[in-house]
Amino acid sequence: MIKPRDMIAGISGKLDLPASAAAHLPCTVIEGFHSVSVDLQRGLLHYSDHEIVLAVSLGAVAVTGERLSIALMKQGRIIINGEIRGIEFRREEKHV
């Protein structure tokens, strides 16, 4: 059986659309070492000046660094500024 996300990825490829947008997958953009934006985030899980963790559809995105701050946060989009040291993608484990 074809998974819905795989089917969406196939269709979006034929229509020349980004699969991430069609499947509502998070999009992370890194600008140098001082700015990260995450689209389609679902909220804050943890916030400090050393780590910001965001909920996304497949789990979480953790941004680590120094002097981290939220420059913009609106529905579905966040921009984090500071000295970015690392980004970790934590995939949600589903037990069947």
Side-chain angles (χ1 to χ4, degrees):
M1 181 174 188
I2 298 175
K3 294 181 182 178
R5 288 192 196 275
D6 294 337
M7 185 170 54
I8 291 170
I11 292 169
S12 65
K14 291 179 182 178
L15 297 175
D16 199 27
L17 297 172
S20 60
H24 295 292
L25 297 175
C27 177
T28 304
V29 177
I30 304 164
E31 296 181 20
F33 294 99
H34 296 352
S35 183
V36 174
S37 67
V38 181
D39 290 333
L40 298 176
Q41 56 86 20
R42 295 183 172 183
L44 285 171
L45 297 176
H46 175 78
Y47 178 84
S48 74
D49 63 346
H50 296 289
E51 181 181 51
I52 297 175
V53 182
L54 307 167
V56 295
S57 62
L58 298 175
V61 175
V63 178
T64 57
E66 301 294 323
R67 293 182 294 284
L68 299 179
S69 64
I70 297 173
L72 171 76
M73 185 172 185
K74 60 181 185 177
Q75 184 176 359
R77 181 175 183 144
I78 191 167
I79 298 175
I80 300 168
N81 290 335
E83 292 182 31
I84 309 299
R85 302 276 188 223
I87 299 172
E88 180 183 357
F89 301 98
R90 301 174 182 168
R91 194 168 188 116
E92 181 179 60
E93 298 294 328
K94 293 190 178 184
H95 302 284
V96 180

